[in-house]
Amino acid sequence: DGGITQSPKYLFRKEGQNVTLSCEQNLNHDAMYWYRQDPGQGLRLIYYSQIVNDFQKGDIAEGYSVSREKKESFPLTVTSAQKNPTAFYLCASSQSGPWDEQFFGPGTRLTVL
Amino acid sequence: SQQGEEDPQALSIQEGENATMNCSYKTSINNLQWYRQNSGRGLVHLILIRSNEREKHSGRLRVTLDTSKKSSSLLITASRAADTASYFCATDFGNQFYFGTGTSLTVIP
């Protein structure tokens, strides 16, 4: 059953805490992405990676960090430096790059208390 | 700055009617894609149209691309209640890509 998974579905965090969102894919895709979506808004790119051990900042990378140690995994850490982290976070993957069809996970809804 | 902007922001139609939504962008693109998002879910890819193509069909979906006007339209024919969702265009140019702000479609049974 191929696809892309994100966990957890809902996440609550206290102010000042770092939190890591998981993203795993078994589609053998080279490229992976993290997006943030605020209510009624479109998707904004946080980070993307086209190859293992390499990644690029998107439009809103401040306060976030990523790693790409394995092809199938692209975890996102929301640090305490992110001023307004409450949002819906979406992970996606594609064969080679953004010009390919992107496959999305179900998302993680992060709420900062 | 955002590359793709959808119009209208919201659209409400009766089941069986056609729905048309538009996407405008600012710079020359390589490809334009349309995605659908059901409430609280991830996005699902609908169709990709390349810059040298003018029209593509997929089932009840018809996408057109006018590179001279830097715009694309998505037509959903004979709409169903299950088509209720948000629809986003995504454009890529050079090494950059953007999603638009989306059109929220409501199909009333």
Side-chain angles (χ1 to χ4, degrees), chain B residues 9-24:
Chain B
Q9 286 189 327
L11 180 61
S12 183
I13 60 173
Q14 296 288 332
E15 202 166 31
E17 293 181 338
N18 295 344
T20 300
M21 51 205 86
N22 305 294
C23 170
S24 60

Side-chain angles (χ1 to χ4, degrees), chain B residues 31-51:
Chain B
N31 308 288
L32 187 144
Q33 303 181 51
W34 285 92
Y35 289 80
R36 185 187 75 216
Q37 183 182 34
N38 290 90
S39 182
R41 303 282 189 92
L43 279 69
V44 174
H45 184 264
L46 296 175
I47 200 163
L48 179 152
I49 187 165
R50 303 193 188 282
S51 59

Side-chain angles (χ1 to χ4, degrees), chain A residues 35 37 59 98-99 101-102 105, chain B residues 33 35 37 42 45 97-98:
Chain A
Y35 296 94
Q37 186 176 33
D59 293 329
W99 49 86
E101 172 185 355
Q102 293 187 36
Chain B
Q33 303 181 51
Y35 289 80
Q37 183 182 34
H45 184 264
F97 58 103
Y98 292 99

Side-chain angles (χ1 to χ4, degrees), chain A residues 67-83:
Chain A
S67 63
R68 186 88 186 276
E69 297 176 1
K70 297 186 297 183
K71 187 175 184 177
E72 58 270 22
S73 179
F74 191 40
L76 172 75
T77 296
V78 184
T79 74
S80 56
Q82 169 49 235
K83 301 296 182 210

